[in-house]
Amino acid sequence: PYMNDSSHSYIAWNFLARPQFFDVQKYAGDGGNNTIQHDLGVEPGFIMIKSISSADSWWCYHAELPNEVLYISSTSGALSAPGWITVDDSSFSFNGNGNSFNRNGSDYVAYLFAKDTPYVKSGKYTATGGGSTVNVGFKPRWVLIKKSSSSSNWFIIRSEEHTSELQSR
């Protein structure tokens, strides 16, 4: 993949770490029942995990798919992974499986988005074909969508309005 090629254009997003919105945690893998504390203050709805010491895939947890996993580098739908992760309002834990999200001796970063607060929503919807409207209770500035039932790309929808609203709270 391209990351700094002069013949390509790029866009980047930065999220402000705040309780009930977004958090970043680094941790050392232990290959076992690792528990990592977070600062969301609420249950995560979406977590992206990446090894920063190896080329492993991004593992993605979604609250609506607790026994499945999504991979950012894949177009595959959600894959069965019963019990791979447990989450609550102060931590997330791995249940005895080292794999590429908790390998002993590897370092990781986890990006956590809250599940359901006035600032962020993590959920699912069923498409109706020909266009779907999903009411989340506010006008979102950034939306990440992935079809979980079968192969598809990941999609990002963004709005450039209200760019400093969250910072002023």
Side-chain angles (χ1 to χ4, degrees):
Y2 305 103
M3 290 183 273
N4 194 20
D5 187 299
S6 63
S7 63
H8 291 85
S9 297
Y10 300 91
I11 189 165
W13 290 277
N14 296 289
F15 297 97
L16 191 61
R18 290 284 187 258
Q20 298 186 21
F21 176 61
F22 177 71
D23 190 28
V24 178
Q25 294 295 325
K26 290 184 180 177
Y27 66 93
D30 71 1
N33 296 326
N34 202 359
T35 297
I36 296 91
Q37 301 300 311
H38 66 74
D39 299 317
L40 283 176
V42 296
E43 182 180 326
F46 184 65
I47 304 173
M48 297 184 294
I49 299 169
K50 176 69 175 103
S51 171
I52 54 178
S53 53
S54 67
D56 293 327
S57 295
W58 289 80
W59 282 67
C60 297
Y61 159 84
H62 195 286
E64 298 288 344
L65 305 167
N67 292 308
E68 296 174 279
V69 65
L70 292 162
Y71 298 99
I72 287 186
S73 59
S74 173
T75 59
S76 295
L79 301 173
S80 180
W84 77 277
I85 191 171
T86 304
V87 301
D88 64 33
D89 63 359
S90 63
S91 66
F92 58 100
S93 302
F94 303 115
N95 301 312
N97 190 336
N99 257 322
S100 56
F101 54 83
N102 190 34
R103 183 177 290 118
N104 190 32
S106 290
D107 294 318
Y108 296 86
V109 63
Y111 300 100
L112 298 88
F113 292 86
K115 182 176 179 182
D116 188 9
T117 74
Y119 314 111
V120 65
K121 303 289 183 199
S122 293
K124 68 177 180 178
Y125 69 95
T126 301
T128 58
S132 297
T133 299
V134 179
N135 184 348
V136 298
F138 57 86
K139 185 175 180 177
R141 288 177 250 160
W142 188 86
V143 179
L144 176 65
I145 298 173
K146 171 70 172 99
K147 185 177 183 180
S148 62
S149 60
S150 63
S151 286
S152 74
N153 290 318
W154 292 78
F155 296 94
I156 293 175
I157 302 168
R158 66 185 178 94
S159 166
E160 294 185 23
E161 296 179 26
H162 312 296
T163 57
S164 63
E165 182 179 327
L166 186 61
Q167 292 177 346
S168 65
R169 293 181 186 207

